[in-house]
């Protein structure tokens, strides 16, 4: 893969893990959302909506859940209950600070929500990412911009939610991450990755590694999206993370490694 690259500096910490900042989580969410939109294996569906096809709400719920903000565990499942779950997980309603018609004041990572019908996420600079119609194509995958990026538009939106940091599963639902059935169900669907692999799942791995302060050096494209190329830098990042948590540093991202990457207790 030939790309212009830049180092994801600021997430690499050779002296050990630091707390993940809200901005790092927002950056990871935006990067993952764009990676999903760019991958033709992902499309739009309301019948099969939790991957690889998504609808507008499950797409954003999945993205934030995967970068460590447990909105799905907190009860988010469709546009009608997204607001309450997102507010419980570190988001704030900043509708008074933005123009919901023009998008002025929107920042990267902001959730634009119409609680009845639609949701999208701001990428900053007047851009958004969202899942839209299947356009008469019920088959899996993308048959033409089913998940896309584009300029801001007014749906109209009811509110704008901004991630400020923190956020945990409500105490009544909290349990050990590796015993959590959501994580087990997720990792069982993920492939074993090793050097030479490419694509969406490698981008997902790279994004999760960044959240654990093990970002692959020089693996972001100039547009700010991980390149999805499991090369030597990704091998080094996987080994750094696996050494930290006591797994064999064999350069392979297997389901156990994915489970630990999703586990919010490892930072």
């Amino acid at each position: 893969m030939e790309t212009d690259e830049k180092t994801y500096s600021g997430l690499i910490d050779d002296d050990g893990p630091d707390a993940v900042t809200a901005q790092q989580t927002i950056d990871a969410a935006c990067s993952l959302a764009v990676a999903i939109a760019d991958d033709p294996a992902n499309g739009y569906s309301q019948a099969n909506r939790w991957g690889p096809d998504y609808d507008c709400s499950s797409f954003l719920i999945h993205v934030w859940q995967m970068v460590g903000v447990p909105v799905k565990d907190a009860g988010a499942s469709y546009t009608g209950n997204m607001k309450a779950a997102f507010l419980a997980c570190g988001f704030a309603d900043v509708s008074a600070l933005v123009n919901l018609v023009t998008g002025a004041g929107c920042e990267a990572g902001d959730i634009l929500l119409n609680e009845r019908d639609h949701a999208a996420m701001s990428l900053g600079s007047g851009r958004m990412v969202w899942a839209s119609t299947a356009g008469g194509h019920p088959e899996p995958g993308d048959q033409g911009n089913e998940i896309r990026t584009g300029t801001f538009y007014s749906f109209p939106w009811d509110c704008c939610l901004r991630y400020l940091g923190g956020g945990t599963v409500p105490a009544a639902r909290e349990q050990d991450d590796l015993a959590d059935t959501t994580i087990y169900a997720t990792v069982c669907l993920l492939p074993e990755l090793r050097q030479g692999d490419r694509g969406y799942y490698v981008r997902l791995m790279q994004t999760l590694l960044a959240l654990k302060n093990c970002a692959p050096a020089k693996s972001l494209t100039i547009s700010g999206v991980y390149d999805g190329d499991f090369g030597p830098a990704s091998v080094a990042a996987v080994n750094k993370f696996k050494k930290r948590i006591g797994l064999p540093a064999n350069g392979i991202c297997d389901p156990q490694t994915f489970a630990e990457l999703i586990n919010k207790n490892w930072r």
Side-chain angles (χ1 to χ4, degrees), residues 220-234:
L220 274 190
T221 66
I222 196 66
S223 61
V225 178
Y226 277 103
D227 60 16
D229 186 356
F230 201 139
S234 291

Side-chain angles (χ1 to χ4, degrees), residues 39-122:
D39 193 327
N42 304 305
Y44 181 91
S45 174
Q46 291 186 327
N48 302 290
R49 55 193 291 267
W50 293 107
D53 289 346
Y54 306 89
D55 63 14
C56 64
S57 56
S58 67
F59 170 52
L60 299 179
I61 293 165
H62 170 76
V63 164
W64 284 95
Q65 179 84 15
M66 293 305 292
V67 300
V69 182
V71 291
K72 188 176 182 182
D73 294 340
S77 61
Y78 76 111
T79 54
N81 59 23
M82 280 179 68
K83 183 175 181 179
F86 276 60
L87 291 177
C89 291
F91 282 77
D93 188 337
V94 296
S95 303
L97 303 179
V98 304
N99 187 318
L100 296 175
V101 176
T102 68
C106 280
E107 298 181 1
D110 286 357
I111 301 297
L112 285 307
L113 183 62
N114 178 297
E115 294 186 71
R116 176 179 174 180
D117 291 318
H118 195 38
M121 184 167 72
S122 171

Side-chain angles (χ1 to χ4, degrees), residues 186-207:
T186 299
V187 299
C188 285
L189 298 174
L190 296 174
E192 182 174 283
L193 302 175
R194 61 187 67 219
Q195 188 167 3
D197 289 335
R198 296 185 178 189
Y200 161 67
Y201 289 109
V202 177
R203 291 192 192 101
L204 173 60
M205 177 197 74
Q206 292 169 325
T207 300

